[in-house]
Amino acid sequence: FEGLNEILDEDHIVVFKWHPAMALALKREGKEAFDHSKFNGRFVDLSDERDINDLLMIADILITDYSSVIFEYELLHKPVIYYWYDVDEYRNDRGFFYDLEEYVYGTVAYDFDQLLEALKKPQLCEEKRLGFHEKFMSACDGCTTKNVVDTIFLGKTKADDSGIDQFDGLRLANLEHGREIIKEAEKKGPRFYYEGQQIFSLRAGNVLVIKVF
């Protein structure tokens, strides 16, 4: 905290938000992650805030590790710094879905000194940001609600070149294929039924419609 406190301007505030699982574990044990009382409000723990998106909106810079928060944050076009002090340990333990270079659209700091330097000159890394956006975020067109309504309530679906509809990660070649999926899914618990050329999935009161061409 001393290092951060020294390089930040007087009007800068550092907001912390722990992963919900970590925040809950600390609360159950009656512990605080750190004592920042002597810094007169410079460091603020807002882990109890339910929606991180509100905090992303007001943040000037995001410091994160391997969190998926970078997906939402990319849409705001603001600098991000990755603090990867334990990257080798994390790679060997949890692992990654993609090569790390595909995630990076900001400065990477491997130790605390590098983090402090990155904070002095935050970078947008426009070229890498564009690559990340095209790979992961290109479907975010600002019309999500309309697209959901068109698909579920109006039956306007977008088929790929093969004529097979894609919905929620499932590709159905025909109705028989849908029945096979139902049989497998019934073994795991949720209730299914089909009607005509549509297959419905009931799970916790939500209806998922999968249209078959």
Side-chain angles (χ1 to χ4, degrees), residues 9 46 51 76 86 93 105-106 108 137-138 177 189-190 203 209:
D9 293 335
L46 294 182
D51 193 349
L76 300 177
D86 60 346
D93 183 18
Y105 62 87
V108 178
M137 309 300 291
S138 59
H177 182 203
R203 183 192 295 271
V209 180

Side-chain angles (χ1 to χ4, degrees), residues 19 66 87-97:
H19 187 283
Y66 320 102
V87 61
D88 292 331
E89 179 182 347
Y90 193 93
R91 181 187 286 110
N92 294 331
D93 183 18
R94 296 285 298 273
F96 301 99
F97 290 110

Side-chain angles (χ1 to χ4, degrees), residues 135-168:
K135 182 175 181 63
F136 297 108
M137 309 300 291
S138 59
C140 297
D141 57 2
C143 301
T144 301
T145 300
K146 180 181 183 300
N147 295 337
V148 170
V149 171
D150 285 348
T151 299
I152 295 180
F153 296 101
L154 302 182
K156 297 179 181 179
T157 56
K158 296 179 181 179
D160 62 14
D161 294 337
S162 65
I164 302 174
D165 190 34
Q166 299 184 60
F167 197 95
D168 200 39

Side-chain angles (χ1 to χ4, degrees), residues 31-205:
K31 297 180 180 179
E32 290 189 11
F34 40 74
D35 179 14
H36 47 74
S37 56
K38 68 178 182 180
F39 294 102
N40 299 318
R42 168 61 64 85
F43 302 98
V44 182
D45 188 348
L46 294 182
S47 298
D48 288 336
E49 290 291 321
R50 181 175 180 181
D51 193 349
I52 194 174
N53 292 316
D54 293 337
L55 303 180
L56 297 181
M57 291 292 291
I58 64 174
D60 295 304
I61 303 172
L62 172 68
I63 303 174
T64 185
D65 49 11
Y66 320 102
S67 170
S68 61
V69 71
I70 60 172
F71 291 88
E72 291 88 345
Y73 193 71
E74 188 275 333
L75 297 173
L76 300 177
H77 203 74
K78 295 189 287 189
V80 57
I81 299 173
Y82 301 84
Y83 189 28
W84 289 352
Y85 65 92
D86 60 346
V87 61
D88 292 331
E89 179 182 347
Y90 193 93
R91 181 187 286 110
N92 294 331
D93 183 18
R94 296 285 298 273
F96 301 99
F97 290 110
Y98 297 93
D99 185 88
L100 283 181
E101 290 301 317
E102 297 185 60
Y103 281 112
V104 176
Y105 62 87
T107 305
V108 178
Y110 294 100
D111 58 43
F112 191 68
D113 289 337
Q114 291 181 5
L115 175 62
L116 295 181
E117 287 300 314
L119 280 170
K120 294 176 182 178
K121 296 181 179 180
Q123 304 292 325
L124 278 174
C125 303
E126 297 283 8
E127 186 175 345
K128 291 183 177 181
R129 180 181 295 270
L130 179 59
F132 181 94
H133 183 89
E134 291 179 347
K135 182 175 181 63
F136 297 108
M137 309 300 291
S138 59
C140 297
D141 57 2
C143 301
T144 301
T145 300
K146 180 181 183 300
N147 295 337
V148 170
V149 171
D150 285 348
T151 299
I152 295 180
F153 296 101
L154 302 182
K156 297 179 181 179
T157 56
K158 296 179 181 179
D160 62 14
D161 294 337
S162 65
I164 302 174
D165 190 34
Q166 299 184 60
F167 197 95
D168 200 39
L170 295 178
R171 293 170 57 88
L172 304 182
N174 49 52
L175 194 58
E176 185 58 37
H177 182 203
R179 292 194 183 100
E180 293 175 3
I181 292 177
I182 289 174
K183 290 179 181 178
E184 290 300 316
E186 283 178 339
K187 299 176 183 177
K188 302 178 181 179
R191 296 179 293 111
F192 284 78
Y193 68 93
Y194 61 86
E195 180 179 303
Q197 289 295 299
Q198 290 186 330
I199 296 176
F200 299 83
S201 161
L202 294 181
R203 183 192 295 271

